[in-house]
Amino acid sequence: MTAMPTMAPPGLLTLGIEEEYLLLAKDRPEAAPVVEDVIDRVSPALRASVQHEYFRTQIEVAGPPVVDLAALWRSMSVLREGVADAAEAAGARLVAIGACPVGGPDSPVVDQPRYHRMEERFGALSPGHGLNGMHVHVGVADPELAVQVLNHIRPWLPVLHAVTANSPFYQGIDTGYASWRSVMWERWPSVGPTPHLESFAHYRHLLDDLIASGAVLDEGMLYWYGRVSATYPTVEIRIGDVCPTLDDAMLVAALVRALVGTAIADIGAGLPAPAIDQQLLTAAHWRAAHDGLEGLAVDLVNQRPRPAWHLLRRLFDLVRPQLEAHGDLEITTVLMSRLRSHGSGAARQRAAFAKNGRLDDVLDLVTAATRG
């Protein structure tokens, strides 16, 4: 995020997102380590919202926090288009995809002290060209409330994980997973479902112990799927791949905000957080990464597999009052219908590949989708 969250009207929550993208060479199917050149070419009006990621083949943008979903869509559209233009001027193209689907030499990390410390500490844990995700920030200023929210939303994050699946190909092959990025990402020691937390003091104690263990360098490396933001007064949800289109990204963002709002209402009503076994929750996230939206998902209420779309519909119905309260019900209904008709990013990539068996067609598809 690049700015402090704005104040929301009473009962409403601010919303912001961060997106990470892959930089590909414009004239050949391989990653392009040109992030410095791209950032230099970004217009001054957008520069504050664009930054490096871990590898030189990645770039990250952050939309300003807002209350109105349409305003977020507009700001992210300007960012995607502006950074895509800068990438093309640098001889590359901007691709909203979870992992690089083609081969080539590993990218060097960005020349920053923190990234060099990560590389020294964790070695070859994350080779390649980078793993690109989407993070959703929802304004919750009270850290004690934020921790309770994290407890309440845990059962539904695997469903949203499935919605974002957008990386079936890696190193030139179909991995058999809808989100191979998720599999690669979980090699880091601090990645995984957020544990049940007793309080914000418990949260801080766990974080301090993880830093002391050496498994993370600092608070920014706490890669739980839901966390209290290290920088801003927000709950930060960081479960899945970057979405190929802004339609998909806005749907996920709206559902996350409505889920947080639903949790806050339940907490205010004195309802306890659902009791979810951590191992089963981990299994549900694995299933989401494997099957994506087109397969099965784990129903954490009755511990049985169900079609992922069935659970997404249940989530939509659960958070409907909050979607309506934030003015998002009509647009999310439309976006749900569009997603149902064209499928997840992973499904779209596989359909493009199936036509001629060419990864170039996949790259062309996602490049066009990124611009919208």
Side-chain angles (χ1 to χ4, degrees):
M1 302 288 283
T2 58
M4 288 294 291
T6 57
M7 293 297 293
L12 300 184
L13 302 170
T14 57
L15 180 65
I17 67 173
E18 298 165 302
E19 292 187 321
E20 299 158 354
Y21 311 116
L22 176 69
L23 296 169
L24 286 175
K26 190 158 44 177
D27 57 352
R28 57 194 184 281
E30 64 181 52
V34 294
V35 64
E36 293 89 353
D37 195 9
V38 175
I39 289 178
D40 286 344
R41 294 170 185 270
V42 171
S43 72
L46 301 180
R47 191 76 54 81
S49 298
V50 181
Q51 61 187 19
H52 299 90
E53 242 302 317
Y54 187 62
F55 286 111
R56 294 183 62 224
T57 47
Q58 295 176 280
I59 196 166
E60 181 178 28
V61 305
V66 296
V67 175
D68 180 28
L69 187 67
L72 181 62
W73 194 99
R74 288 191 295 270
S75 66
M76 293 303 299
S77 178
V78 169
L79 277 169
R80 281 193 177 207
E81 184 174 1
V83 178
D85 287 344
E88 290 186 6
R93 48 180 167 163
L94 191 74
V95 185
I97 196 168
C100 185
V102 293
D106 289 348
S107 170
V109 301
V110 169
D111 187 17
Q112 293 185 359
R114 181 171 182 267
Y115 294 148
H116 288 306
R117 290 199 305 272
M118 290 171 66
E119 187 177 36
E120 291 167 6
R121 172 74 59 86
F122 299 102
L125 197 62
S126 184
H129 306 292
L131 306 173
N132 306 303
M134 168 186 169
H135 309 153
V136 181
H137 286 256
V138 181
V140 180
D142 179 358
E144 290 292 348
L145 177 60
V147 164
Q148 292 183 62
V149 166
L150 294 176
N151 288 338
H152 276 255
I153 68 177
R154 292 164 77 233
W156 293 105
L157 294 188
V159 182
L160 294 170
H161 193 162
V163 174
T164 68
N166 186 36
S167 52
F169 297 100
Y170 188 73
Q171 296 288 340
I173 64 168
D174 189 325
T175 64
Y177 282 76
S179 173
W180 187 245
R181 168 196 171 275
S182 298
V183 178
M184 299 281 286
W185 185 229
E186 287 174 1
R187 297 183 302 179
W188 289 86
S190 61
V191 173
T194 309
H196 180 84
L197 299 160
E198 299 299 330
S199 63
F200 184 62
H202 181 208
Y203 179 94
R204 292 297 317 183
H205 182 72
L206 284 175
L207 174 59
D208 291 343
D209 284 349
L210 285 170
I211 294 173
S213 76
V216 301
L217 291 180
D218 50 38
E219 188 171 355
M221 277 194 69
L222 185 67
Y223 297 141
W224 291 344
Y225 296 148
R227 69 182 187 183
V228 181
S229 172
T231 310
Y232 302 108
T234 63
V235 166
E236 182 182 0
I237 306 305
R238 38 191 303 123
I239 43 174
D241 298 351
V242 63
C243 294
T245 68
L246 276 180
D247 278 0
D248 297 343
M250 292 304 105
L251 175 60
V252 171
L255 290 173
V256 167
R257 175 166 66 177
L259 182 59
V260 171
T262 301
I264 291 173
D266 288 346
I267 292 164
L271 298 178
I276 303 297
D277 182 83
Q278 186 75 6
Q279 192 62 41
L280 187 60
L281 184 59
T282 299
H285 278 285
W286 172 84
R287 191 82 200 223
H290 185 272
D291 286 28
L293 194 54
E294 284 68 38
L296 295 176
V298 178
D299 184 339
L300 289 167
V301 174
N302 61 22
Q303 294 80 48
R304 293 291 182 271
R306 291 183 182 275
W309 263 104
H310 175 91
L311 291 185
L312 180 58
R313 189 73 233 183
R314 269 179 39 193
L315 171 60
F316 186 89
D317 291 341
L318 173 70
V319 304
R320 179 186 293 266
Q322 286 292 318
L323 290 172
E324 191 164 16
H326 284 85
D328 297 341
L329 182 58
E330 182 177 357
I331 185 60
T332 50
T333 299
V334 172
L335 295 177
M336 283 274 287
S337 177
R338 290 179 184 174
L339 183 63
R340 182 63 164 161
S341 66
H342 58 53
S344 68
R348 280 170 265 172
Q349 287 188 47
R350 283 174 167 147
F353 183 79
K355 290 180 181 179
N356 299 300
R358 299 173 65 247
L359 277 176
D360 282 351
D361 294 338
V362 174
L363 300 179
D364 290 344
L365 171 80
V366 185
T367 301
T370 302
R371 271 193 176 271

